[in-house]
């Protein structure tokens, strides 16, 4: 199943750092790119149905460390 989430950051530098760090997260079908603006990062990945997946939690924690937050 596909999951798509976008994160917003206060600066372009923080967004870029997040984007480059997330590229190394171990997730199936991972795609990372800038989102709506250069302060947004869009992340897409696949997770298995019926199994625990901590990818979103990892992304939230990393974004928080860099001053970002998940947006809808």
């Amino acid at each position: 199943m596909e999951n798509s989430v976008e994160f917003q950051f206060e600066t372009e530098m923080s967004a870029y750092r997040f984007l480059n760090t997330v590229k190394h997260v171990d997730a199936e079908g991972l795609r990372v790119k800038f989102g709506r603006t250069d302060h947004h990062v869009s992340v897409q990945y696949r997770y298995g149905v019926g199994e625990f997946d901590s990818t979103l939690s990892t992304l939230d924690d990393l974004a928080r460390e860099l001053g970002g937050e998940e947006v809808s």
Side-chain angles (χ1 to χ4, degrees), residues 2-43:
E2 284 283 323
N3 190 23
S4 180
V5 62
E6 187 163 279
F7 296 90
Q8 179 178 349
F9 297 86
E10 291 185 22
T11 66
E12 179 184 359
M13 181 184 289
S14 294
Y16 188 70
R17 187 174 296 142
F18 178 78
L19 185 145
N20 283 318
T21 303
V22 170
K23 286 181 180 180
H24 301 287
V25 169
D26 184 25
E28 187 177 335
L30 181 68
R31 288 175 290 188
V32 186
K33 63 182 181 179
F34 278 111
R36 292 178 239 172
T37 71
D38 59 6
H39 286 65
H40 293 82
V41 176
S42 176
V43 180

Side-chain angles (χ1 to χ4, degrees), residues 40-64:
H40 293 82
V41 176
S42 176
V43 180
Q44 296 176 336
Y45 63 95
R46 283 190 297 272
Y47 61 91
V49 176
E51 53 186 76
F52 180 76
D53 187 340
S54 64
T55 304
L56 186 55
S57 177
T58 300
L59 295 172
D60 283 338
D61 291 345
L62 179 59
R64 197 172 306 113

